[in-house]
Amino acid sequence: MSYLKFISGLLSGLVVALGSVHAQTATKIVVPFAAGGGTDQYVRILAAELTKRGTQIIVENKPGASGIVAADYVARSRPDGLTVLVSSLGTLANNTVLYEKLPYDPNKDFAPVTQIAYQPAIIVGRADLPYHNIKEMVAYAKANPGKINRGSPGAAILTNLAPMSFEKNVGISTTHIPFNGDAPAVQALLGGQIDIHGTSLTGSLPHIRSGKLRVLGVMDSRRLPQLPEAPTFKEMGYDLEATLWYSLSVPSATPRDAIDRLNKAVNQVIADPEFVTKARAIGMEPRGGTPEELAKFVRTEHDRWVPLLQSLNLPKQVQ
């Protein structure tokens, strides 16, 4: 073997070894949605900032089966703090109602790390509607029973459950039309097939800014910084808050010191004003906290929304 070939082989081996070490020491954040969506965009901004600050992060997308593919993958991973799930109401609560049998147990297989962000649920409507906010919509619905078609990204999604709960409380009824995701529902709204739509800010923001859609109400305690003119439900006399939230979870046997290191790193990033500005530009509101706070929050959300989902009597799916 020539000297050059020997050196080349040695260098190749070194590159492989270094890549292996990097793969073993970098933290992998698993996103249960396809690349390019709002959650994925946010996690990649977070990952870039964490890496810049010394916590090496790899983002991996594992979409499919309402988050089950990603959740099962993380639940079965080595509990060393290096494989992390972007978790939500769906993976930690709603899937227990929607599926006959899950390959993971949300109560036993995961340990909480921290919340990372939320998006208030909103109701948007076409700009040509005769009502301009939720209060006017309620009055219209009472005067015109059955005349409002309401879209959602799916029957079991919070952006359907929250409007359902609201309609029940105020004594109105709309015709619910579920779609396979948010994008087709927004297109149906723009095309006039539906009148209003329960959603989050990310997908509808460009159309709101163009004047094609308007926000009828924000399901949060404060107005959206991106759209300060859009009123909240509470301002119009309705006590309703509903948020699409995102958190980080790890396999349940992960050592507490590994959880605390990641928690500290993430919370430092999402408190940075520059990071908050970047997050809000895509419709996200950063929100952190302790593992204990996340665990309590998940229990509260479970107890609030799962019974409503159960009341729909949806046929359970087989994963």
Side-chain angles (χ1 to χ4, degrees):
M1 179 184 293
S2 72
Y3 178 73
L4 288 176
K5 286 185 178 180
F6 172 77
I7 293 298
S8 177
L10 184 62
L11 289 174
S12 297
L14 182 60
V15 168
V16 171
L18 288 174
S20 177
V21 170
H22 174 74
Q24 292 171 14
T25 57
T27 299
K28 181 191 296 182
I29 297 183
V30 180
V31 179
F33 310 110
T39 307
D40 178 68
Q41 291 178 46
Y42 178 76
V43 171
R44 289 181 185 276
I45 294 171
L46 176 62
E49 191 60 36
L50 285 167
T51 298
K52 188 167 70 175
R53 295 178 181 223
T55 302
Q56 297 296 316
I57 302 291
I58 299 171
V59 177
E60 184 172 331
N61 299 86
K62 285 190 175 294
S66 300
I68 293 175
V69 173
D72 184 43
Y73 173 79
V74 174
R76 296 173 184 273
S77 298
R78 181 179 298 176
D80 52 11
L82 298 180
T83 307
V84 184
L85 174 69
V86 177
S87 46
S88 63
L89 181 66
T91 51
L92 298 181
N94 287 356
N95 281 348
T96 61
V97 179
L98 295 175
Y99 287 86
E100 190 70 38
K101 184 178 180 181
L102 292 177
Y104 68 92
D105 186 327
N107 296 316
K108 296 179 180 179
D109 291 344
F110 297 107
V113 178
T114 181
Q115 288 195 62
I116 56 172
Y118 77 98
Q119 293 179 291
I122 60 177
I123 297 292
V124 295
R126 298 194 316 274
D128 62 346
L129 294 174
Y131 40 88
H132 299 77
N133 56 50
I134 285 297
K135 194 168 186 178
E136 292 181 4
M137 189 204 78
V138 170
Y140 180 89
K142 289 182 176 180
N144 301 272
K147 290 291 182 68
I148 298 177
N149 291 327
R150 174 177 59 83
S152 81
I157 306 298
L158 180 67
T159 43
N160 173 49
L161 298 180
M164 276 184 57
S165 175
F166 172 73
E167 290 176 15
K168 182 178 180 181
N169 289 338
V170 299
I172 65 171
S173 178
T174 63
T175 301
H176 175 228
I177 302 175
F179 289 83
N180 185 24
D182 195 57
V186 170
Q187 289 305 310
L189 182 61
L190 292 168
Q193 285 81 48
I194 56 176
D195 303 303
I196 64 173
H197 175 51
T199 184
S200 64
L201 185 60
T202 302
S204 56
L205 184 56
H207 307 296
I208 296 167
R209 286 180 168 161
S210 72
K212 295 178 181 178
L213 302 178
R214 68 165 63 104
V215 179
L216 302 180
V218 178
M219 300 180 200
D220 199 8
S221 58
R222 60 193 178 99
R223 293 193 176 198
L224 295 166
Q226 300 89 343
L227 297 169
E229 71 280 5
T232 67
F233 274 65
K234 287 194 172 185
E235 289 178 76
M236 291 177 281
Y238 307 113
D239 187 18
L240 177 65
E241 290 186 39
T243 58
L244 300 155
W245 50 267
Y246 312 96
S247 57
L248 299 181
S249 301
V250 291
S252 57
T254 302
R256 180 59 192 242
D257 62 340
I259 292 174
D260 288 342
R261 281 195 301 272
L262 183 58
N263 176 281
K264 181 179 179 181
V266 170
N267 276 276
Q268 285 177 343
V269 168
I270 63 180
D272 187 311
E274 290 187 11
F275 178 82
V276 173
T277 299
K278 291 179 182 178
R280 286 178 173 172
I282 61 170
M284 289 285 190
E285 284 294 314
R287 178 168 63 187
T290 67
E292 290 76 20
E293 288 170 339
L294 173 55
K296 181 179 179 180
F297 178 77
V298 171
R299 287 194 297 270
T300 300
E301 288 287 279
H302 177 284
D303 294 344
R304 181 183 182 187
W305 298 114
V306 165
L308 180 58
L309 181 57
Q310 291 171 328
S311 72
L312 299 180
N313 294 317
L314 298 172
K316 289 199 172 186
Q317 303 177 51
V318 177
Q319 200 274 324

